[in-house]
Amino acid sequence: NDFILVEATALKGSAAALARRLSDRRRGMGADGLLIVDKKKRAFRYLNADGSETFCGNGARCAAVWLSRQRRFVGSEISFHGAAGELKARILGPGRAAVIMPEPRLIRGTFALTAARRRWRLQLWNSGVPHAVVPVKNLASAPVLEAGRALRRHRVFGKAGANVDFIAKRGKAVALRTYERGVEAETFACGTGAVAAALAAETLRWGSLPMAVYPSSGQPLKVYRRSGHLWLEGPARIVFKGEINP
């Protein structure tokens, strides 16, 4: 994913409006969403490109890395607060972090839906946010935009809808393409989607945790259990710094 991170002290006015303005890839900076981080309170908020506020696994890792740089927590654990409550992250280096994820729940086992003129078999998970996980044989040719858009708003998922993850077996790992609600497009990665994909792959007997998940970016995320918690691990780096005009 790509996120814009701003400090909470700099926020003036509506966070939702700022997320929409800055995330616009034609008239703003361009991003999947906006991270608002309060380093004094060690807390963060995440808003999608459309201004909707939600939990974000990869956003949580990025917030943790940024917080660690402000207070030099590299090599240690850091506690902070997000939409899913109190979170813990392990800073594994200047550009890598793992975060404890909300305990995922299988909302509905394998069932079938019709969307985009096809019948799909899928599972519904909640890994902090809802994810419809769709196994496919050929991930490269999966109609992620068309089918993802149709499934994301399917009446079965209610008014809020769901993210849609298309997954395929990749050796002992799983490959993933995600259509994200709130962004309303395919994104290069999704942390909560990676967790849902790994757990769905387990139920399909493709493998077991720890499991590598390869999103569209090609940069693998790792899902594993440690000390009774489910962790999401992967890279996080600052691409650029700048100033935003009001």
Side-chain angles (χ1 to χ4, degrees):
N1 298 96
D2 55 345
F3 305 119
I4 297 166
L5 187 151
V6 299
E7 292 194 52
T9 52
L11 181 64
K12 293 179 176 63
S14 166
L18 183 64
R20 289 191 294 269
R21 178 166 70 89
L22 297 184
S23 299
D24 191 305
R25 295 192 183 275
R26 291 183 179 273
R27 292 171 289 186
M29 295 168 65
D32 290 337
L34 177 69
L35 289 165
I36 302 171
V37 185
D38 188 324
K39 63 183 177 185
K40 184 176 289 187
K41 295 180 179 179
R42 289 198 199 176
F44 84 104
R45 297 168 62 190
Y46 174 70
L47 295 93
N48 285 314
D50 69 353
S52 58
E53 191 161 352
T54 188
F55 175 71
C56 179
N58 282 339
R61 291 191 308 98
C62 289
V65 167
W66 186 84
L67 282 167
S68 75
R69 290 189 176 192
Q70 307 309 302
R71 299 198 175 189
R72 299 181 182 177
F73 291 117
V74 173
S76 64
E77 292 194 354
I78 177 174
S79 295
F80 60 114
H81 192 82
E86 200 68 23
L87 298 169
K88 279 192 176 181
R90 292 168 56 224
I91 308 303
L92 305 173
R96 192 169 186 85
V99 65
I100 293 178
M101 296 292 284
E103 189 59 33
R105 294 181 293 120
L106 177 60
I107 306 300
R108 188 171 176 182
T110 302
F111 64 104
L113 286 181
T114 299
R117 302 177 299 281
R118 282 180 59 177
R119 192 76 168 162
W120 304 92
R121 294 185 66 79
L122 61 149
Q123 301 177 8
L124 181 61
W125 288 83
N126 190 307
S127 50
V129 291
H131 281 270
V133 183
V134 187
V136 295
K137 290 183 178 179
N138 189 333
L139 191 60
S141 63
V144 174
L145 287 177
E146 182 186 14
R149 186 179 296 117
L151 286 166
R152 174 257 187 275
R153 297 187 181 278
H154 199 286
R155 63 182 182 277
V156 167
F157 304 130
K159 185 177 180 181
N163 298 283
V164 184
D165 303 298
F166 296 86
I167 64 170
K169 193 174 187 300
R170 184 171 174 176
K172 294 182 179 180
V174 61
L176 166 70
R177 294 178 66 186
T178 299
Y179 183 95
E180 283 202 56
R181 66 177 189 175
V183 182
E184 306 308 332
E186 180 178 2
T187 55
F188 279 0
C190 179
T192 54
V195 170
L199 295 177
E202 274 199 319
T203 70
L204 295 167
R205 298 183 179 178
W206 290 359
S208 58
L209 300 186
M211 186 177 291
V213 179
Y214 288 84
S216 299
S217 68
Q219 298 181 19
L221 298 167
K222 187 177 178 182
V223 180
Y224 55 92
R225 289 197 177 275
R226 175 178 178 265
S227 303
H229 297 290
L230 189 75
W231 293 78
L232 173 70
E233 180 183 324
R237 64 189 180 94
I238 296 174
V239 179
F240 68 87
K241 298 178 182 179
E243 295 183 1
I244 303 166
N245 290 326

